Amino acid sequence: MDGHWDGYDSIGGSVPLDLVNTVSWRRDPVRRDDRLSSPERLSEWVVLVGAGTERIEISEAVLEAVKSFRETLYRVLVSAPPDVTPLRKPLLSAYRHAELAPSFPLRWTVPLSDGAALPHFLALAAEDLLRSGDLERIRECEGPGCGWIFTDHTRNRSRRWCSSSDCGNRARAKRHYDKGRG
C-alpha cells in the first residue's frame, strides 16, 4: 500500500463501523475524503481490516454497491430513533447468497471467495453488529466535522472522540487556546 491509508485507523471496533469510517471528515464538505476511491482501494481495505487475508478482484459495480451500503449503514447508525428499513433490501440479498455454517449456534456466512460476495459479507456483518447487545456503546465522534463511528469500550462509557490523539487532541488544544484567550 502506498500511503493512501496513512491516517486511517481501524478504530470502529468492527468491520461494519470501519467501513463507515472509510470516509474521513464526513461532516466537513471541504475536507471530506472518500478512501474507497477505486476497486483496488476497496480490495486493500478488505485486507487492512482483516475481513480477508488476501486482496480480491473487485469490480466498479461492487465498489459502488459497497459505497452505497456504507452510506445506508451510516444513516441507520446516526438516525434517532433508529430507522432500519433501508437495511431490508441488502440483508435479503445477502441471505440469498449466504451459506448456513454446519455448527451451533446457527450462523449464516458469506465466504469472501471473490469480490462479488463482498456486499453480502458486509451486510451480514452489519446485522451481527446490530443484533449485539452493545448498541448503546456505538457513538459518533464529537470532533467537529469528523463523523467517524466507534464502539465505546470504556468502563464508564465516557469516550467522546474517534481517537484521543486526533480529534481528542484537537479538542484539548482548542480548550487550552480558548482558556488563554479568555
Side-chain angles (χ1 to χ4, degrees):
M1 295 181 218
D2 61 8
H4 178 78
W5 295 102
D6 287 350
Y8 174 84
D9 290 318
S10 298
I11 60 96
S14 69
V15 170
L17 298 183
D18 287 336
L19 174 65
V20 168
N21 294 343
T22 57
V23 174
S24 296
W25 301 108
R26 178 180 291 280
R27 293 186 175 271
D28 184 346
V30 174
R31 297 171 69 186
R32 185 180 171 104
D33 179 25
D34 185 347
R35 293 177 188 260
L36 299 182
S37 56
S38 69
E40 295 77 25
R41 298 298 187 205
L42 178 54
S43 185
E44 291 172 359
W45 176 82
V46 167
V47 175
L48 183 71
V49 296
T53 56
E54 57 187 50
R55 292 175 64 172
I56 53 178
E57 190 71 29
I58 294 176
S59 68
E60 285 287 338
V62 168
L63 172 65
E64 292 309 313
V66 167
K67 289 168 76 168
S68 175
F69 179 71
R70 174 190 66 193
E71 297 310 307
T72 297
L73 181 58
Y74 175 75
R75 286 189 301 275
V76 166
L77 289 168
V78 298
S79 63
D83 178 12
V84 296
T85 307
L87 294 175
R88 179 178 168 74
K89 187 175 177 181
L91 282 172
L92 287 173
S93 181
Y95 276 109
R96 282 193 291 276
H97 292 88
E99 301 170 358
L100 192 55
S103 63
F104 291 117
L106 291 178
R107 186 174 185 87
W108 291 94
T109 62
V110 176
L112 276 182
S113 54
D114 62 45
L118 186 58
H120 310 303
F121 172 87
L122 293 169
L124 289 183
E127 182 188 34
D128 282 347
L129 172 69
L130 297 175
R131 281 181 182 239
S132 76
D134 289 337
L135 295 178
E136 67 278 354
R137 291 186 175 272
I138 295 176
R139 305 226 191 324
E140 185 173 14
C141 180
E142 291 181 16
C146 180
W148 272 20
I149 306 288
F150 58 87
T151 304
D152 180 359
H153 291 291
T154 61
R155 185 181 305 187
N156 63 357
R157 301 177 185 199
S158 61
R159 184 171 167 192
R160 299 173 54 195
W161 303 292
C162 59
S163 168
S164 181
S165 62
D166 193 353
C167 288
N169 192 46
R170 274 194 263 296
R172 286 187 294 277
K174 182 181 180 329
R175 193 169 51 240
H176 177 74
Y177 176 78
D178 291 347
K179 191 185 288 186
R181 289 187 63 193

